[in-house]
Amino acid sequence: MRPNIITISREYGSGGRDIGREVAQKLGIDFYDSELVKEAAIESGLQLEVVEELEECRNATLFSTEDRLDSNTLQDKMYLAQSNAIKQFAQKGPCVIVGRAANHVLAGRDDCLHVFVYSHMDHRVRRVAERLGLTEEEARRKIEKVDQARAAYYHYYTGEEWGLARNYHISLDSGFLGVVGCAKTILNKVPPAWKPHEVRAC
Amino acid sequence: MRPNIITISREYGSGGRDIGREVAQKLGIDFYDSELVKEAAIESGLQLEVVEELEECRNATLFSTEDRLDSNTLQDKMYLAQSNAIKQFAQKGPCVIVGRAANHVLAGRDDCLHVFVYSHMDHRVRRVAERLGLTEEEARRKIEKVDQARAAYYHYYTGEEWGLARNYHISLDSGFLGVVGCAKTILNKVPPAWKPHEVRAC
């Protein structure tokens, strides 16, 4: 099997986005992350302001069982719009897609490499505090909140627990391996035939 | 950090044991798997027959909450004996240890690389049926039974769900990467300084 698409799911603050961008740059292929939301909004006709508001307040309480019974909620429309965007990006050609349960959305394709990136809390607290200029306590609270939202989102739309190794081809601890180490591991899984000639040494 | 010990946890039939042996051979270091049980039995003074009988009937029902309240059950004594054996093996020098929640037992050491190996059911059914001469249905039932026992064992003694990526440094899908591919990935994570000069090309 020759992968065309690399999806990266990640715990908040683990550097999964940086790893994805590094991999995409090295391979010279497209990279998609939060831009998906805007693309999805535009494609589906949802008001951009509404999508951004939903993004802001996205948390565990949004994904209750009662919501699940009504497939016409704004959340569900947004999920469908994002899923369509992910499928369209994947159709365009080789790319890296970060977040939004892309591994689940593209589960029907056999040309994907699905990756999960995580690291222990202390490592993530240091990264988030430094990047956003927060105290360690503020960073910890933000991480817990975002992870809770991602876990709820993933569970709600896939029925699976977030972070189970079996839902990915490779899972990597970025605190142990480092961002560069994780990128190298992913690049090593991409057959040479797929790599453009201009790929820089990693 | 320079790892001295590689632990491998694995779904039944995923080839985790073969991967561990391959890695140990390539690195020229010791390899431990089911021998742990006998070693533990001998070290702790437990009757070998009793240990083997426990191994045979090890299943989910053995690890109930009620059992947990009595730390003097034979299962707990066996777990402690095995844990001591794992710690002693790790003390001896660089090695690969497969199974028995070794990642949890050695959690206090910072010189370990903890790996989880898994693959989808169809891949494992084919492997187990071929290796043991079973029908696919028999292989599937055996896999489900052994995995259930391993999950219960892991949960009982660690309090964690079996197969969560965050409990390992790397998790690998052997159905996707292959046994050799998994071994290569692990070997790539071992700093060159650790590799003996006589390591063969992988």
Side-chain angles (χ1 to χ4, degrees), chain A residues 118 161 163 165 168 171 173 185 189, chain B residues 118 161 163 165 168 171 185 189:
Chain A
Y118 54 93
E161 187 175 353
Y168 309 91
S171 297
D173 180 344
T185 301
K189 297 300 134 210
Chain B
Y118 54 94
E161 186 176 351
Y168 309 91
S171 298
T185 302
K189 297 301 133 210

Side-chain angles (χ1 to χ4, degrees), chain A residues 1 25 35 41 72-73 102 104 113 118 129 141 143 148 169 178:
Chain A
M1 201 284 292
Q25 280 178 352
E35 289 303 307
N72 289 316
T73 63
H104 180 73
L113 173 68
Y118 54 93
R141 279 203 299 273
I143 289 168
Q148 188 185 27
H169 296 123

Side-chain angles (χ1 to χ4, degrees), chain B:
Chain B
M1 201 284 292
R2 193 177 120 183
N4 279 309
I5 315 296
I6 298 169
T7 73
I8 298 183
S9 305
R10 76 293 185 217
E11 288 184 342
Y12 184 67
S14 67
R17 190 175 175 277
D18 295 342
I19 292 164
R21 192 166 41 206
E22 173 86 0
V23 168
Q25 280 178 353
K26 287 284 191 292
L27 293 172
I29 61 178
D30 289 331
F31 171 74
Y32 303 106
D33 62 343
S34 58
E35 289 304 307
L36 279 171
V37 179
K38 289 178 190 166
E39 290 278 353
I42 293 163
E43 294 291 328
S44 66
L46 289 178
Q47 291 293 314
L48 188 59
E49 292 76 11
V50 176
V51 172
E52 286 178 342
E53 191 180 336
L54 264 175
E55 277 299 289
E56 282 298 313
C57 66
R58 188 163 72 107
N59 63 42
T61 61
L62 281 174
F63 305 105
S64 68
T65 310
E66 282 164 35
D67 282 341
R68 193 76 190 94
L69 299 174
D70 176 6
S71 62
N72 289 316
T73 63
L74 195 54
Q75 291 90 320
D76 282 352
K77 285 178 184 165
M78 186 170 145
Y79 174 77
L80 286 173
Q82 288 177 355
S83 297
N84 287 334
I86 288 170
K87 287 174 186 170
Q88 284 166 16
F89 293 144
Q91 269 318 104
K92 283 186 191 170
C95 61
V96 175
I97 303 172
V98 175
R100 310 305 159 112
N103 64 318
H104 180 73
V105 173
L106 300 177
R109 294 182 68 125
D110 63 359
D111 61 347
C112 297
L113 173 67
H114 300 305
V115 182
F116 183 65
V117 179
Y118 54 94
S119 66
H120 57 79
M121 182 58 92
D122 290 348
H123 175 250
R124 294 190 285 149
V125 164
R126 283 195 299 274
R127 279 180 55 91
V128 171
E130 189 179 318
R131 198 176 56 194
L132 302 184
L134 302 176
T135 67
E136 293 207 342
E137 190 47 40
E138 288 168 339
R140 189 178 299 273
R141 280 203 298 273
K142 184 166 179 63
I143 289 167
E144 287 169 353
K145 190 176 170 188
V146 176
D147 273 1
Q148 188 185 27
R150 288 181 182 173
Y153 181 89
Y154 191 84
H155 181 68
Y156 180 74
Y157 287 112
T158 72
E160 289 269 4
E161 186 176 351
W162 191 53
L164 277 176
R166 66 168 181 244
N167 293 324
Y168 309 91
H169 295 123
I170 310 176
S171 298
L172 303 169
D173 180 342
S174 60
F176 182 82
L177 300 168
V179 166
V180 173
C182 289
K184 277 185 181 175
T185 302
I186 295 168
L187 288 165
N188 280 336
K189 297 301 133 210
V190 181
W194 188 40
K195 297 181 185 175
H197 293 304
E198 65 274 21
V199 168
R200 286 172 288 146
C202 184

Side-chain angles (χ1 to χ4, degrees), chain A residues 118-136:
Chain A
Y118 54 93
S119 66
H120 56 80
M121 182 57 92
D122 291 348
H123 175 250
R124 293 191 285 148
V125 164
R126 283 195 300 274
R127 279 180 55 92
V128 171
E130 188 179 318
R131 198 177 55 194
L132 301 185
L134 303 175
T135 66
E136 292 206 345

Side-chain angles (χ1 to χ4, degrees), chain A residues 20-74:
Chain A
R21 191 166 41 207
E22 173 86 0
V23 169
Q25 280 178 352
K26 287 282 191 294
L27 292 173
I29 61 178
D30 289 331
F31 172 73
Y32 303 105
D33 61 345
S34 58
E35 289 303 307
L36 279 170
V37 180
K38 289 177 190 165
E39 291 277 353
I42 292 162
E43 293 291 327
S44 67
L46 288 178
Q47 290 294 315
L48 189 58
E49 292 76 12
V50 175
V51 172
E52 286 177 342
E53 191 181 335
L54 262 176
E55 275 300 287
E56 283 298 314
C57 66
R58 188 162 72 106
N59 61 42
T61 60
L62 280 176
F63 304 105
S64 67
T65 309
E66 282 164 35
D67 282 341
R68 194 74 190 98
L69 298 175
D70 176 7
S71 63
N72 289 316
T73 63
L74 195 54

